[in-house]
Amino acid sequence: MSGKKILLTEAEVPQKWYNVQADMPKPLDPPLNPATKQPIGPEALAPIFPMALIEQEVSTERWIAIPEEVMDILMIWRPTPLVRAERLEKALGTPARIYYKNESVSPPGSHKPNTAVAQAYYNKKQGLKRLTTETGAGQWGSALSFACQMLGLECTVYMVKVSYQQKPYRRSMMHTYGAEVFPSPTDRTNAGRGILAKDPECLGSLGIAISEAVEEAATRADTNYSLGSVLNHVLLHQTIVGLETKKQLEKANDKADIVIGCVGGGSNFAGMAFPFFPDKLAGKDIRFIGVEPCACPTLTRGVYAYDFGDTAQMTPLLKMHTLGHDFIPPGIHAGGLRYHGGAPLLCALINQGFIEAQAVHQTAAFKSALQFARTEGIIPAPETSHAICVGIQEALKCKETGEAKSIVIMFSGHGYFDMGSYDAYLAGKLQDYEYPAELIAESLKKLPQV
Amino acid sequence: MSGKKILLTEAEVPQKWYNVQADMPKPLDPPLNPATKQPIGPEALAPIFPMALIEQEVSTERWIAIPEEVMDILMIWRPTPLVRAERLEKALGTPARIYYKNESVSPPGSHKPNTAVAQAYYNKKQGLKRLTTETGAGQWGSALSFACQMLGLECTVYMVKVSYQQKPYRRSMMHTYGAEVFPSPTDRTNAGRGILAKDPECLGSLGIAISEAVEEAATRADTNYSLGSVLNHVLLHQTIVGLETKKQLEKANDKADIVIGCVGGGSNFAGMAFPFFPDKLAGKDIRFIGVEPCACPTLTRGVYAYDFGDTAQMTPLLKMHTLGHDFIPPGIHAGGLRYHGGAPLLCALINQGFIEAQAVHQTAAFKSALQFARTEGIIPAPETSHAICVGIQEALKCKETGEAKSIVIMFSGHGYFDMGSYDAYLAGKLQDYEYPAELIAESLKKLPQV
């Protein structure tokens, strides 16, 4: 009998988040006011975020304590297992050691509640009654619905229409957790009405849904906005994943040679990778690979520049890799990876050469997902499958070279709500998309001049 | 911070199954040959089951060792957490201590793989290439598909048509695990063709699907049949759940006053309850409550008599509570509880007064499920919700009497594949069914004379 699962006790769960801003060789370029092109102050964010999160957004403290009330809810599912994927290794015939950190064991089924609970907590503490947000595949929306229910807040979710249609049961889950859910673009906001006037059939995008949720929060005093990725404080809250993983690898007397995660906004990958960053700075030979879909190649084919975080140009300008703020990617099944930009912290470290990015096609991702499900038993979300795909590629490289590397895959969520995508893949109906260079160039022409 | 999850280490997982047949005050009435009305011998089962399982079926050994190869696969998700439902307790304002044993953490999402893996293993060991089975809600079918994939067997599943339609994603999961799936009744078997000739619109039932799967196994040399509940060996394999729970309660310095589980065939409830049976025999004050749907009231309104296990009268006669072998319950959302009979071991202990049975309506079950999801965070399967409903009722009784009882609920599976049912409940579209007494009496007239 093997001990495949490397478990921590509840007492071993990290009590502090790790803030990578303390260790960055160059400080982060600040968000800019789109009108003045000057750095924005905290007051610009106060209409939609609580002060505690605004402080975390700019903090350079290395360690930030996790409030006890947050920890108490995280403990519903944390610590999560780190699993040695021995069956997959055997099927691949690789000398590599493959580990996956199983964040799918949370009630909403992904890493997302790690930050949803923290955000709901700080908003509640500041007296807010209600949160709005956007969601792509529905993982973030259901995570925030769950968190709001646990803390007694109301929750309104703008769900990207293509996912609303493809994944009705994510919407049911949000309803079960007591949230209200609308397919975006809607006619509830100026942002939504503007898009619908131009294209009544618009399938939506994360950028549009963000505009709608931000608009609603900005115009209601009892309501704040909550973002599931991209921002510094979101990535901070996810570092509990990487911190647990480091302890678990120690328990297994192992280390990480390659750390892999999928990238939509970047929070799951950053949450896993950032706690290993000081090791890399200290000279350890460790690779970080963020994996995005070829259909939305932000990191591999976008530019590193200031751009809006949303389509309707309501957010501050963020320095990040971007395909242009009104880039709308095709309706691939990994809905959570359809974002035109990336987290500024992650993009800065990519730009400085510390972190790599790769893009894979969705059929390749599903092929890997099927191999994973049929060996390890667990069915990955389409988003997660992108990370698994590159994990398998790296393990196969080890097979060629004979190197016994340790590969750590961030298993960000399960695919129980994505079985229609598996049907489509098994029926040979999935298409791959290679975005034409001229369309990306066209989209990038609209970047704001800074 | 609370330690809500009571965890075992992998080394603490029980290495043997507990066989309640060793401790029953009266031996079990044997299965009978329907033609001769004489007890059947092992040779009667040999065309569809491997010898190891036939031996377990009749064994009176108290402890049966779990093979290492089986344990190795169970360890993908075992040991499972026993969770103190503190948030639910608080919401109810009860002095009771409520625990739930979370079997939803297995890859297929229920307790079912505990026996699926064991059955696939013994069949593989005897050289079989393929297993057939039936499935109601799809939990058993996906569990066997998973187990067959892990052990390298082929798998064919007959899925009750009403569930095939209501829960397409369970079918997708079985496909993802490499199985083939047919909506039953089909035109692939004599049993299915016979039903369809009488009623082409038939929505199916577990009884019909069993007939189809058994027929296919009986007529192919390389193929055996696998049953997800009812039989003694199935209940045996599930006792790992109750054995773990006993160890976990010891760790929490607690004991069980009331043990509750839902009953379709009876295996999840028996797997939880049977390991506590010696304590009851030894005089401890402990109640066991099996909970069934009012729409299929086998234990509370059926008779205790010999009957066929399936609709087409292909199985041996089993002594059990039954509503009649061609009773077809309405298409309630707890598809896994739509069975006309019950496990002979469980029924015998009910008949002898050791175990209680209660029936609840599905709207009451969903109301409880929603309260559970909104406090504990996890969304229960409709089947599991029946157990939660009675658990909440017992906790509320404690609130009235002021008794601080310990209530253990078997959390048999999650509801991620049942969100359509939650939609229907939230939209007020769910109906309750109280089966007319005269229809049950009519159905019972067809019991075989023994």
Side-chain angles (χ1 to χ4, degrees), chain A residues 241-304:
Chain A
V241 176
L243 293 168
E244 279 186 10
T245 303
K246 287 186 78 168
K247 286 198 184 187
Q248 287 164 312
L249 286 171
E250 270 171 42
K251 277 201 171 186
N253 292 314
D254 208 339
K255 62 185 177 65
D257 295 314
I258 308 176
V259 175
I260 303 170
C262 66
V263 178
S267 73
N268 91 71
F269 174 52
M272 170 59 89
F274 284 0
F276 291 91
F277 182 66
D279 302 332
K280 186 167 181 102
L281 272 187
K284 278 202 186 157
D285 185 19
I286 176 169
R287 289 174 64 202
F288 305 110
I289 309 175
V291 187
E292 63 183 10
C294 290
C296 189
T298 312
L299 305 175
T300 53
R301 298 178 65 198
V303 294
Y304 184 60

Side-chain angles (χ1 to χ4, degrees), chain A residues 88 100 102 104 109 139 167 170 262 333-334 365-389 392 409-422, chain B residues 107 173 176-177:
Chain A
L88 177 60
Y100 64 97
N102 188 0
S104 78
Q139 286 187 334
K167 303 182 181 181
R170 276 281 171 195
C262 66
H333 285 270
F366 273 98
K367 185 183 173 195
S368 299
L370 213 68
Q371 183 168 31
F372 190 90
R374 291 183 176 179
T375 50
E376 294 299 310
I378 303 178
I379 300 178
E383 291 82 1
T384 309
S385 307
H386 287 70
I388 292 171
C389 184
I392 288 175
I409 298 170
M410 169 66 168
F411 192 93
S412 55
H414 62 62
Y416 292 154
F417 289 86
D418 306 284
M419 297 312 301
S421 313
Y422 279 86
Chain B
M173 184 186 236
T176 298
Y177 288 137

